[in-house]
Amino acid sequence: MKPEQAERGRWRGVLLAAGASVLAAACSGTAPDSRVAAVASMAPESWNASREARAGIDQDWIRRFGDSQLTALADEAVANNPDLRVAAERIRRAEALARQSGAPGRPQVSGQVSGQKQQTNFAGLPFGGGSLITESYGASLDVNWELDVWGRVRSSQSAALGDLQAQEFDYKAARVSLVAQVAKAWFALGEANDQIRLAEDALQTRSKVAEAFVERFERAIDDGGGTASQVRLAKTDVESSRATLAFWQGERERALRQIELLVGRYPSGKRFTSRGLPTAPSKPPAGLPSELLKRRPDVLAAERRFAASGKRVEEARLAFYPSFRLTGSRGSTTDDLGQVLDSSFGIWSFGAGVVQPIFNGGQLREERVIAESDERIALGELQQTVLQAFGEVEQALVAEEYFAKREKAVAESSELADAAAESAVTDFADGAVDALTLLRALDRKIQTALSLAEIRRRRLENR
């Protein structure tokens, strides 16, 4: 990726947010006030799954893994991913809608030029009839302004600005999700590289053991009568290792193409790296539960939609109030086209009016019912988003605790299995153990190594 592309990706979100702020300042309306208090009581004082969650908030988590290539891929994804471009375009669309929503509260000016030529025939007159041709031309500049006395238009624009802010947070949520997907695909690639190396080592080891069994069988060293079955078992393990190797080679190809799709490249399967999984960084602080309501973009987006829905309820309520309109016109009228712009033939008018809805078939009433229902739906969605956010953090914290325990236990088991396999090889050569014990020891060594790589990847994904 070119440096300017990465730089553009890093600044895109900042520029979009700054543009939205300038737009909000330029509009006559203001964004709706925060309504996070409606769900503040849902936040506990501390996380149940961790006593170490008060250390602060990690704002730059992707760099904590210490992998410059992963960070570069995340920057490339932010700059080039098509889905993220769609999210950015939705912000621009919401900006236009916010500007459009304030139009009814501003004067509407229109210009008009007209011309008419008319002939009138007169029949039955004493002199045999006749006709009269008349011409009329005019030009005018008309102004129509609905005064926003009650604030209905301002409520509408405030709701639109709330929607714009929600789109901004949706963009940030999409960006966070995209970077997480890149990281997970990268960890899947790292695990595949580790598993391939383990499978290749297992295939080599099992092949040597199978060759040794075949040699012993051909020399008829073992008089116990079980050598033929032992050879078949050893060859079965060899083929099992081949199948495992092929599986992880396929997983590597899948992970490579997934990364390319996420960063906006054609999925050609280009090799990024042969490195395995990175080391898990130190445990990240989770912050206080109440802070989560102010820093999770999905929660903030849901709160903005709830706030916007409240403004639409206010707009629907104010629609019952009378509206005040001012109209004005300045122009000219003449029967000579050449004099249509002559101020000597000018005309003007000015008027004011009040319109009070009386009966419209229940439309305004139902619009208010719909707005109130939309507000309750938005509140429910906000509450569900908050619960989901709390659940994800609690689950991640408790999963980290048990992943750490499992990784430690499996790592110790893997070390013991390595030592047991080495001893089994020596003991088998000395005749101290049988072939089945050797095969079991080798299989335990291989399986624990594979399990350790999987647990390490899952722990990184949980981060």
Side-chain angles (χ1 to χ4, degrees):
M1 182 179 65
K2 296 180 179 179
E4 57 270 18
Q5 289 179 320
E7 188 68 18
R8 185 175 66 252
R10 283 191 290 270
W11 283 101
R12 178 186 294 169
V14 176
L15 292 175
L16 288 171
S21 300
V22 172
L23 172 68
C27 294
S28 59
T30 58
D33 294 334
S34 173
R35 302 186 73 183
V36 74
V39 292
S41 61
M42 299 173 64
E45 293 184 359
S46 62
W47 300 107
N48 292 328
S50 172
R51 294 182 179 180
E52 303 174 3
R54 297 176 180 269
I57 300 172
D58 184 8
Q59 300 287 359
D60 201 15
W61 65 271
I62 193 65
R63 301 182 189 277
R64 290 173 60 86
F65 293 99
D67 192 326
S68 59
Q69 196 169 3
L70 170 59
T71 302
L73 286 171
D75 290 340
E76 184 177 355
V78 170
N80 299 328
N81 183 269
D83 288 337
L84 202 60
R85 289 178 184 164
V86 171
E89 197 60 40
R90 288 197 176 103
I91 294 179
R92 298 185 183 94
R93 183 178 184 275
E95 289 175 353
L97 288 173
R99 288 190 294 268
Q100 182 188 52
S101 65
R106 294 188 287 268
Q108 309 296 313
V109 182
S110 61
Q112 177 178 304
V113 177
S114 62
Q116 181 179 10
K117 188 172 185 179
Q118 177 177 320
Q119 176 178 311
T120 304
N121 295 320
F122 302 98
L125 293 179
F127 304 103
S131 63
L132 175 64
I133 297 177
T134 60
E135 297 182 18
S136 176
Y137 303 96
S140 65
L141 191 65
D142 305 310
V143 179
N144 196 342
W145 188 8
E146 179 180 347
L147 301 178
D148 191 24
V149 175
W150 315 113
R152 181 183 61 82
V153 176
R154 291 193 296 274
S155 295
S156 175
Q157 189 172 31
S158 181
L161 289 172
D163 290 338
L164 170 58
Q165 292 175 329
Q167 289 293 343
E168 292 173 356
F169 288 123
D170 282 341
Y171 173 84
K172 293 178 181 178
R175 178 171 175 162
V176 169
S177 177
L178 174 62
V179 172
Q181 290 178 63
V182 172
K184 287 185 177 182
W186 184 254
F187 298 150
L189 175 62
E191 182 195 8
N193 288 332
D194 282 341
Q195 297 280 20
I196 287 172
R197 282 189 284 270
L198 292 171
E200 289 173 341
D201 291 343
L203 177 60
Q204 184 178 8
T205 299
R206 283 172 166 171
S207 296
K208 289 181 179 179
V209 170
E211 290 173 1
F213 281 9
V214 170
E215 183 180 355
R216 289 171 65 90
F217 176 73
E218 291 176 347
R219 293 181 180 180
I221 295 178
D222 190 346
D223 296 329
T227 304
S229 62
Q230 295 167 4
V231 169
R232 292 188 179 93
L233 286 174
K235 288 185 175 181
T236 298
D237 288 343
V238 170
E239 296 308 315
S240 176
S241 292
R242 292 188 196 278
T244 301
L245 177 60
F247 170 80
W248 285 110
Q249 287 172 337
E251 288 297 293
R252 179 172 61 185
E253 294 299 318
R254 184 194 62 80
L256 287 170
R257 285 163 175 78
Q258 179 65 18
I259 292 173
E260 288 176 316
L261 288 172
L262 289 171
V263 301
R265 301 184 193 177
Y266 181 83
S268 61
K270 176 183 177 182
R271 187 68 58 83
F272 289 103
T273 181
S274 59
R275 289 183 298 173
L277 289 167
T279 303
S282 59
K283 184 177 179 180
L288 295 175
S290 58
E291 293 172 344
L292 189 73
L293 303 178
K294 300 178 182 179
R295 62 186 175 93
R296 282 268 303 219
D298 54 343
V299 172
L300 293 172
E303 185 277 328
R304 288 291 80 194
R305 291 190 172 91
F306 176 49
S309 67
K311 286 296 182 180
R312 291 196 168 90
V313 170
E314 183 178 343
E315 178 188 4
R317 178 181 61 82
L318 294 174
F320 287 90
Y321 287 33
S323 59
F324 298 85
R325 291 185 174 89
L326 298 178
T327 60
S329 178
R330 179 71 170 87
S332 64
T333 180
T334 179
D335 57 4
D336 185 351
L337 180 60
Q339 298 173 333
V340 71
L341 299 179
D342 191 340
S343 60
S344 301
F345 300 91
I347 60 172
W348 63 270
S349 66
F350 177 79
V354 179
V355 178
Q356 171 63 57
I358 298 177
F359 178 76
N360 60 359
Q363 179 179 347
L364 293 180
R365 182 180 64 253
E366 297 308 320
E367 286 178 353
R368 182 173 180 177
V369 171
I370 292 171
E372 291 172 345
S373 179
D374 288 342
E375 183 183 30
R376 290 190 291 271
I377 291 172
L379 175 59
E381 291 175 345
L382 172 59
Q383 292 170 335
Q384 180 59 38
T385 302
V386 169
L387 284 176
Q388 181 70 22
F390 286 149
E392 288 175 356
V393 175
E394 289 283 8
Q395 290 167 7
L397 290 173
V398 72
E400 167 63 25
E401 178 182 353
Y402 288 103
F403 273 132
K405 292 180 179 179
R406 289 178 60 191
E407 182 177 349
K408 180 180 179 182
V410 175
E412 293 176 356
S413 175
S414 180
E415 291 180 3
L416 293 172
D418 287 345
E422 292 178 5
S423 298
V425 171
T426 302
D427 292 344
F428 180 76
D430 295 339
V433 298
D434 58 16
L436 292 179
T437 300
L438 174 61
L439 292 175
R440 282 197 297 267
L442 291 175
D443 184 67
R444 185 69 56 84
K445 171 186 175 180
I446 293 168
Q447 294 304 323
T448 54
L450 296 175
S451 296
L452 180 59
E454 180 187 0
I455 290 173
R456 288 184 59 206
R457 187 262 305 166
R458 294 182 64 185
R459 187 180 182 190
L460 286 168
E461 283 187 350
N462 187 62
R463 289 295 177 85

